Structures are given as C-alpha cells and as structure tokens.
Amino acid sequence: MGKEISINGYELEICSNSPQSACYAAKGGATRVELCQNLENGGTTPSYGQIVQTRRLVDIGIHVLIRPRGGDFVYSDLEFEEILADIQFCKKEGCDGVVIGVMCKDGTVDVKRTKALVEAARPMHVTFHRAFDKCADPFTSLDVLIGLGIDRVLTSGLQNRAEDAVALLKQLVAHAAGRIVIMPGAGVDSSNMEMILKATGVTAIHSSAKETISSQMIFDRAEVAGMNEPIFSTSKEKVHQLVDILKKE
C-alpha cells in the first residue's frame, strides 16, 4: 500500500497512463496517481504488467481506473464480471484504491452493481469517476453515492472542463457536507487550479499534467496510416508547478 500524504491539506491526484508516468507524478510531488492506459480515449483499465510495475516503483497511493472499454458506462454481464475480476486483482496486488463508474440507461447510478463493486473493493478506497458527469440529476446521484459509501467523486461539474462549472462544483461541495469528497478534474492545470480551489472550496484536485511526446521513429512508411501518432505522458515539471501552487494556498 502507498503512503497517504497531503500538500498543505490538499490532495493532488495525477492521472498517469504508464508506470513511467506514475514515476514522474511521484517525483513531481503528487499525493497519488490514478493509473490507467489509453488516455487518448478517456482512459481504460491498465494491464497486469502496468499495475505490477507501478506498485513496485511508486510508494505513493495508486488508484486504478477500472473501465473495460471506451464509450458509455452501461455494461453487459460479461463486462461486469471483467470489472469485478480487475478489482480483485488490484486488491491482491496492494493497490490503494479503484476508480469505478456504472450507470443505467436513464442517467441514474446503477445502484445494485455499484454496491457490489464497493463491497468487492474494500478495504481499498473507492472513487466514482466522471460517469457522474453523464448523470441526469447530480444532487440525487450524489446522495446515492453517499449512501453506497463511495469515498470521492471525480467530476468536471457536468461540463467538458471543470473551470466552466465552478458554480455547480461549489453547490456539490455544500451538498456533500463532508460526507463524500468532491474532486474536480478535466482541463485542470497550473493556469486555473488556484481559481477552481478558491471558487469551489474543494480540498482534492485531479489533473493529467500531461505533455505530448512525438514518435521516436526516424523512418516512416507513408503508405501505412497511423501507428506513429504522438502519445501522452505525465510531465514531472507540470506536476511540480501544481504542487508549488498548493503549497502557497
């Protein structure tokens, strides 16, 4: 298990898409990482090797995104069994938490399945991810998650970027009243984090702090499309910038 740390009373979670990115996040001073892969598609469950390597290399908290595919958050029975199996593996490997999100077709939280996932995950921490931003009623959904014992909600305030939803985020913090952590994410960086913190009153923040890495290939076969695209990586320098801001708050 990773050590629980805070930065001047704040949690800084960095979304990292590889063991290398997780190392950069830790060296930059992050509280924990949300480990995923396929960040270009919003993030999916990391591989066995990524989870094992990250746990071996990183001593801060590791919360693993459990999302079997891109697209919506309405899952088949087979997909749900896959989610359960991934949660059990994360527990076995000493991860600190999992990040889940299961919805019904009508925009409500899938209570039965979420309850089963929370029970399977304990004693790990459980975060409900940005599936929340597709809900029909944020306050009703928040009450449901509180009742299910979810520890925190990662949300952009039902907008594409958290900075555009500070009014709702502040209302969610007030509605939560300390019963669940509201953690803004999506488009959070050094240019807007301080504003989001002050405008909403949150004490946890989520950022990818990413940079774009161009292909290392010198030779390219123009006849074959793709397989040479830029990739994302956590930037240790960008994490440092966020940490420095939090230390001054």
Side-chain angles (χ1 to χ4, degrees):
M1 305 289 280
K3 59 187 178 185
E4 290 292 324
I5 61 174
S6 68
I7 306 162
N8 199 22
Y10 292 96
E11 301 173 18
L12 175 61
E13 179 178 276
I14 299 297
C15 182
S16 296
N17 62 345
S18 69
Q20 182 66 75
S21 284
C23 288
Y24 289 149
K27 290 176 181 177
T31 300
R32 63 175 174 269
V33 296
E34 182 201 45
L35 184 65
C36 69
Q37 64 178 347
N38 194 23
L39 192 56
E40 296 80 2
N41 195 28
T44 54
T45 308
S47 72
Y48 160 87
Q50 289 173 320
I51 293 170
V52 171
Q53 274 197 322
T54 302
R55 182 70 289 171
R56 177 173 61 84
L57 295 169
V58 171
D59 64 356
I60 61 173
I62 300 172
H63 290 192
V64 179
L65 176 62
I66 308 295
R67 185 184 180 209
R69 55 162 172 78
D72 65 29
F73 306 103
V74 180
Y75 296 112
S76 69
D77 289 342
L78 280 175
E79 288 171 331
F80 185 67
E81 290 300 320
E82 179 183 342
I83 290 169
L84 279 169
D86 284 335
I87 287 174
Q88 293 292 353
F89 175 73
C90 290
K91 184 191 296 189
K92 174 177 170 289
E93 291 301 318
C95 297
D96 302 277
V98 290
V99 183
I100 63 170
V102 186
M103 301 292 288
C104 297
K105 295 178 182 179
D106 62 356
T108 59
V109 175
D110 189 326
V111 174
K112 181 179 179 180
R113 283 181 161 181
T114 303
K115 183 175 186 292
L117 296 181
V118 172
E119 290 174 351
R122 296 304 186 199
M124 294 187 294
H125 292 270
V126 180
T127 300
F128 198 89
H129 59 50
R130 288 190 60 215
F132 182 85
D133 292 319
K134 288 290 192 177
C135 71
D137 185 321
F139 298 103
T140 300
S141 296
L142 190 62
D143 285 335
V144 168
L145 297 179
I146 291 169
L148 290 168
I150 298 288
D151 297 296
R152 65 183 58 77
V153 179
L154 169 60
T155 175
S156 59
L158 282 60
Q159 299 292 321
N160 287 324
R161 294 173 61 86
E163 67 178 340
D164 297 324
V166 291
L168 177 58
L169 289 167
K170 182 177 181 179
Q171 291 176 322
L172 290 171
V173 170
H175 189 83
R179 296 173 294 168
I180 193 170
V181 175
I182 305 298
M183 181 170 62
V188 176
D189 57 28
S190 59
S191 72
N192 58 23
M193 184 177 71
E194 186 175 9
M195 180 277 290
I196 293 170
L197 293 173
K198 290 182 176 179
T200 63
V202 298
T203 57
I205 201 84
H206 173 100
S207 174
S208 60
K210 65 180 181 290
E211 61 183 345
T212 302
I213 307 295
S214 297
S215 171
Q216 302 176 69
M217 290 294 293
I218 299 172
F219 171 79
D220 186 24
R221 184 169 294 283
E223 300 90 341
V224 180
M227 297 186 287
N228 206 18
E229 303 91 345
I231 61 171
F232 293 139
S233 174
T234 299
S235 165
K236 182 174 66 174
E237 290 72 25
K238 289 184 178 181
V239 176
H240 264 309
Q241 291 172 4
L242 297 174
V243 171
D244 287 343
I245 292 170
L246 292 175
K247 286 180 177 179
K248 297 174 184 176
E249 286 295 306

